[in-house]
Amino acid sequence: MRIGEAAAATGTTPRALRFYEQRGLLPPPVRTASGQREYGPAEIERVRVIRELLGLGLTVEDLRSCADRLYLLSENPGRRCGSVEAGAPASGVVGRRLAALDAEIGRLTGIRENLARRASGND
């Protein structure tokens, strides 16, 4: 299928597909004789995995670091990205992203608590 059809099938835009390709998340697609991109079922599934992982809070840079293994999630959608035990040190892409999210939650919680104290006049 062509880029517009692939974008529609994955809930994204042609621009996003070109961006994923430029960033190395998608391998360069097969081209027609006229130079148009052609996407097959494997590429469509990979874009779905990319979009799901981005929706879960991973960044494009996170995905770039493991782009050579994204096909594993495409081939086996039930596959786990990794395990993170409570209290265990963060490792791997998912562990590092979880640690970053935890740090941001802590920072925002502190800001919220300070603002709430100020608003209540208990500072």
Side-chain angles (χ1 to χ4, degrees), residues 27-70:
V30 173
R31 300 268 183 162
T32 65
S34 62
Q36 294 182 322
R37 291 169 169 87
E38 279 285 326
Y39 297 89
E43 291 82 16
I44 298 303
E45 187 55 37
R46 186 168 176 145
V47 171
R48 287 184 178 132
V49 166
I50 290 166
R51 292 189 40 80
E52 177 185 5
L53 294 173
L54 291 172
L56 289 172
L58 294 173
T59 66
V60 170
E61 289 306 311
D62 290 335
L63 297 183
R64 279 186 73 185
S65 71
C66 62
D68 62 327
R69 296 182 308 276
L70 288 175

Side-chain angles (χ1 to χ4, degrees), residues 54-110:
L54 291 172
L56 289 172
L58 294 173
T59 66
V60 170
E61 289 306 311
D62 290 335
L63 297 183
R64 279 186 73 185
S65 71
C66 62
D68 62 327
R69 296 182 308 276
L70 288 175
Y71 75 92
L72 295 170
L73 293 172
S74 300
E75 291 174 353
N76 183 359
R79 186 182 186 109
R80 293 173 49 160
C81 291
S83 62
V84 179
E85 303 292 329
S91 65
V93 173
V94 173
R96 286 190 302 273
R97 180 55 46 204
L98 286 170
L101 288 170
D102 288 341
E104 183 66 5
I105 289 167
R107 186 185 74 78
L108 291 171
T109 300

